[in-house]
C-alpha cells in the first residue's frame, strides 16, 4: 500500500491526487534537483535536511488531507439490516447557531424514513444520523465526539445559499445533489441552505420536506436524475413538451404519462398565468409549462418527477407494464432518460448494491423502528501525528513522494 492510499484509507485515484499536490510557491522541489555532492542545492539541503523534510512533509500532508477528503466518497454511510447507518449531516461554520435548525433536520429525517420505506417496497429506511455542528457554535456537554465525521465527507451539508438554485429573491435556494459521476453512481453530497430549512413557507412551495429529501436521496445515493424539464440544472437540454412517437401528440416531459395537468404560461402583460396557445396536435407556444393538479387519481409516480406536495406520488418509476400508474416514459427528453439510457428508476436501482445484497430484503418494520436515532456532535480541531526517521538514511536528498519508507502519519 502506498503512502497516499495508507493515508486516505479508502480507494482513490492516487496519480490524480498526487498531480494536484504542490509545494508552496518558492520552495524547491526535490524531484527536479539533480543529486551532486558538491552542488549548492545539495549542500544547502544537507545542512537543513531535517527542517526542510519536516516543513515539506507538513505542507504536503496538509494539502493531502484536503484533497483526499474532497476526492473520495463518504465512508461512514453503510446499510445494515435494511437501515442506513452512519449518515452525516454537517453544518458549515458560517451558519449561525440555531436550535431550530437542528429540530428541522431531525423532523426531515423522521418524515423521510417511512416514506423511503414505502417507496423502496419495504426495503430501506433511515436508521441512524449524526448531526455535526461546527466549532463556531458554543460547546455543550451533550455533544458527542465527532469520530471520523467531517464537513468534507458528510452526506448532507448545510451551507451558504447557491444563487443558481434560488428561484426568486424571496424564496431560499432549493436543495440539490452535487454530481461528479453519471447514472447509478453516488453523488458527492446533498446541499441544503439553513435558510431553506428554516423558511416558514417551504412546504407551501415545495411540499413535505421529508418527501423532498427522499427525492434528493435518489440523486445522491443511487445516481438518479430529474424526470422533468429542468431550466436550472439542465438548461441546455430542458424541453417542457415533445412530440411523442407513441401517441403522435405533443406531450409534457414527465413520468409517468397519465398525470392530470393544465398547460399554462405566464403572461407578462397581465402578470399572471393563462392557458397556453396551441394544442396537442400542433404544439404549444414558447414558455408553456405543464402544471399538475393537486390531486391525482391515475398515477403514483414518479418521485423523481418532483411534486412532493401531491399525496398520491409515492413511488419511483418502473418498467412494469402491468402498473400504468407508475410506468416509465422512455421517450420523454428529461435528464434521467438522457444519462441513464432511458431506463426507469427501478431498472437503475435494482443493479445497485443497496438492492442486490441480503441487507435489503423486503421485511415488515414497525413505525417505531422506522424512526431514526440521532447523535449531535461538534467538530473538533484535527490532530496530526508525524513519525519521522532521523537516521542516516535521511542524509541524502529525498523525493517527497519517496518518503513512504521513512514516514508514518495519522490524522484523527
Amino acid at each position: 500500500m502506498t503512502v497516499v492510499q495508507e493515508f486516505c484509507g479508502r480507494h482513490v485515484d492516487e496519480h490524480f491526487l498526487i498531480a494536484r499536490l504542490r509545494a508552496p510557491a518558492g520552495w524547491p522541489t526535490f524531484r527536479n534537483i539533480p543529486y551532486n555532492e558538491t552542488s549548492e542545492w545539495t549542500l544547502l539541503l544537507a545542512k537543513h535536511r531535517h527542517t526542510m523534510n519536516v516543513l515539506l512533509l507538513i505542507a504536503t500532508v496538509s494539502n493531502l488531507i484536503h484533497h483526499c477528503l474532497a476526492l473520495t466518497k463518504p465512508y461512514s454511510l453503510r446499510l445494515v439490516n435494511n437501515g442506513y447507518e452512519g449518515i452525516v449531516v454537517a453544518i458549515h461554520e458560517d451558519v449561525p447557531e440555531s436550535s431550530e435548525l437542528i429540530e428541522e433536520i431531525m423532523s426531515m429525517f423522521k418524515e423521510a424514513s417511512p416514506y423511503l420505506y414505502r417507496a423502496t417496497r419495504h426495503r430501506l429506511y433511515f436508521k441512524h444520523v449524526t448531526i455535526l455542528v461546527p466549532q463556531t457554535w458554543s460547546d455543550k456537554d451533550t455533544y458527542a465526539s465527532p469520530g471520523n465525521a467531517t464537513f468534507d465527507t458528510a452526506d448532507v451539508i448545510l451551507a451558504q445559499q447557491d444563487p443558481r438554485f434560488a428561484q426568486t429573491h424571496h424564496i431560499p435556494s432549493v436543495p440539490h445533489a452535487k454530481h461528479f459521476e453519471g447514472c447509478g453512481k453516488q453523488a458527492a453530497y446533498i446541499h441544503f441552505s439553513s435558510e431553506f430549512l428554516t423558511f416558514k413557507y417551504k412546504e407551501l412551495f415545495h411540499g413535505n420536506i421529508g418527501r423532498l429529501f427522499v427525492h434528493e436521496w435518489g440523486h445522491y445515493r443511487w445516481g438518479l436524475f430529474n424526470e422533468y424539464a429542468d431550466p436550472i440544472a439542465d438548461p441546455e437540454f430542458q424541453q417542457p413538451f415533445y412530440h411523442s412517437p407513441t401517441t403522435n401528440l405533443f406531450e409534457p416531459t414527465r413520468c409517468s404519462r397519465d398525470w392530470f395537468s393544465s398547460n399554462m404560461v405566464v403572461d407578462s402583460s397581465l402578470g399572471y398565468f393563462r392557458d397556453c396557445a396551441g394544442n396537442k396536435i400542433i404544439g404549444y407556444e414558447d414558455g408553456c409549462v405543464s402544471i399538475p393538479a393537486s390531486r391525482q387519481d391515475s398515477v403514483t409516480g414518479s418521485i423523481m418527477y418532483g411534486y412532493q406536495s401531491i399525496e398520491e406520488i409515492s413511488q419511483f418509476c418502473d418498467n412494469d407494464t402491468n402498473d400504468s400508474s407508475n410506468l416509465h416514459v422512455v421517450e420523454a427528453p428529461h435528464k434521467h432518460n438522457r444519462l441513464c439510457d432511458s431506463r426507469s428508476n427501478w431498472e437503475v436501482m435494482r443493479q445497485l448494491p443497496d438492492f442486490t445484497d441480503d441487507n435489503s430484503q423486503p421485511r415488515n418494520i414497525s413505525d417505531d423502528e422506522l424512526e431514526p436515532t440521532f447523535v449531535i456532535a461538534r467538530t473538533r480541531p484535527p490532530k496530526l501525528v508525524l513519525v519521522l526517521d532521523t537516521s542516516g538514511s535521511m542524509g541524502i536528498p529525498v523525493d517527497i513522494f519517496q518518503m513512504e519508507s521513512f514516514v508514518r502519519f495519522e490524522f484523527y
Side-chain angles (χ1 to χ4, degrees):
M1 180 178 290
T2 68
V3 66
V4 173
Q5 292 167 335
E6 182 177 359
F7 178 80
C8 292
R10 290 166 283 168
H11 174 72
V12 64
D13 186 339
E14 180 183 354
H15 297 291
F16 178 52
L17 184 61
I18 289 177
R20 295 185 62 176
L21 298 176
R22 298 288 185 271
W27 282 35
T29 55
F30 291 153
R31 185 183 299 278
N32 299 320
I33 300 175
Y35 178 69
N36 184 312
E37 291 184 357
T38 61
S39 73
E40 181 179 351
W41 274 117
T42 302
L43 294 174
L44 176 63
L45 292 174
K47 181 178 180 180
H48 301 288
R49 63 182 183 274
H50 294 306
T51 301
M52 289 294 292
N53 284 337
V54 170
L55 292 177
L56 275 172
L57 183 60
I58 290 174
T60 302
V61 170
S62 176
N63 209 0
L64 182 62
I65 290 169
H66 173 76
H67 290 298
C68 180
L69 295 179
L71 293 174
T72 54
K73 294 183 183 300
Y75 58 90
S76 61
L77 178 61
R78 56 195 177 276
L79 181 60
V80 180
N81 295 329
N82 300 88
Y84 286 114
E85 298 180 351
I87 302 167
V88 176
V89 180
I91 302 172
H92 192 269
E93 61 183 9
D94 291 339
V95 173
E97 186 167 350
S98 168
S99 59
E100 179 190 2
L101 183 58
I102 298 295
E103 292 298 324
E104 289 292 341
I105 295 170
M106 295 171 68
S107 176
M108 178 176 70
F109 274 95
K110 289 177 182 179
E111 293 174 340
S113 187
Y115 186 64
L116 177 68
Y117 175 66
R118 294 192 299 272
T120 57
R121 301 169 183 174
H122 297 181
R123 285 174 168 84
L124 303 172
Y125 69 102
F126 297 118
K127 187 174 184 178
H128 182 79
V129 180
T130 295
I131 301 173
L132 185 65
V133 304
Q135 284 183 260
T136 51
W137 288 24
S138 56
D139 202 358
K140 295 181 180 179
D141 293 337
T142 55
Y143 287 160
S145 169
N148 290 326
T150 69
F151 183 87
D152 289 323
T153 58
D155 305 286
V156 183
I157 64 170
L158 274 72
Q160 298 293 330
Q161 294 197 66
D162 187 337
R164 190 164 69 100
F165 290 88
Q167 296 169 316
T168 73
H169 295 296
H170 306 291
I171 304 175
S173 60
V174 296
H176 57 278
K178 187 67 172 179
H179 280 276
F180 291 107
E181 298 186 72
C183 181
K185 303 294 185 180
Q186 183 170 302
Y189 55 80
I190 299 172
H191 178 282
F192 277 84
S193 69
S194 58
E195 292 86 352
F196 178 86
L197 279 182
T198 56
F199 181 49
K200 183 178 180 180
Y201 302 107
K202 58 182 177 294
E203 296 204 354
L204 177 64
F205 291 98
H206 300 285
N208 180 274
I209 299 305
R211 288 169 168 245
L212 175 60
F213 184 77
V214 172
H215 172 94
E216 295 302 328
W217 191 260
H219 288 308
Y220 169 68
R221 181 64 175 178
W222 307 317
L224 308 179
F225 295 90
N226 289 328
E227 294 180 309
Y228 55 84
D230 188 351
I232 298 176
D234 201 30
E236 295 182 6
F237 297 95
Q238 67 106 7
Q239 187 177 338
F241 293 87
Y242 69 100
H243 190 265
S244 168
T246 302
T247 65
N248 201 31
L249 298 171
F250 282 89
E251 301 282 359
T253 298
R254 59 190 176 190
C255 191
S256 54
R257 190 186 300 277
D258 296 331
W259 283 72
F260 180 72
S261 61
S262 300
N263 300 327
M264 310 288 288
V265 65
V266 174
D267 191 318
S268 57
S269 64
L270 299 175
Y272 55 79
F273 280 99
R274 61 167 173 79
D275 291 337
C276 296
N279 55 52
K280 286 189 172 185
I281 298 175
I282 64 173
Y284 299 93
E285 64 180 298
D286 289 343
C288 184
V289 294
S290 179
I291 302 177
S294 59
R295 180 177 175 82
Q296 298 289 329
D297 296 325
S298 302
V299 295
T300 58
S302 166
I303 289 173
M304 300 312 294
Y305 180 47
Y307 295 101
Q308 285 76 27
S309 60
I310 299 176
E311 184 66 27
E312 292 79 13
I313 304 309
S314 59
Q315 300 294 323
F316 293 98
C317 67
D318 205 346
N319 63 337
D320 183 0
T321 56
N322 293 318
D323 183 9
S324 61
S325 71
N326 192 39
L327 183 61
H328 181 60
V329 183
V330 298
E331 63 198 28
H334 49 63
K335 190 173 184 178
H336 182 82
N337 272 344
R338 191 174 76 253
L339 297 185
C340 295
D341 298 323
S342 295
R343 291 178 294 163
S344 68
N345 297 164
W346 269 105
E347 286 178 277
V348 174
M349 293 156 61
R350 277 191 285 264
Q351 302 300 313
L352 301 177
D354 283 3
F355 298 91
T356 56
D357 61 24
D358 293 334
N359 281 327
S360 62
Q361 295 302 309
R363 69 181 180 94
N364 292 324
I365 302 176
S366 68
D367 291 342
D368 289 342
E369 188 178 352
L370 288 176
E371 183 167 318
T373 59
F374 299 91
V375 167
I376 303 176
R378 183 171 178 267
T379 302
R380 299 285 186 260
K383 297 179 181 179
L384 179 65
V385 178
L386 302 177
V387 181
L388 301 180
D389 183 347
T390 59
S391 65
S393 61
M394 296 294 286
I396 60 173
V398 179
D399 188 312
I400 192 65
F401 296 108
Q402 294 175 344
M403 297 184 73
E404 156 181 15
S405 302
F406 313 113
V407 179
R408 181 174 64 84
F409 44 84
E410 298 177 3
F411 177 65
Y412 60 92

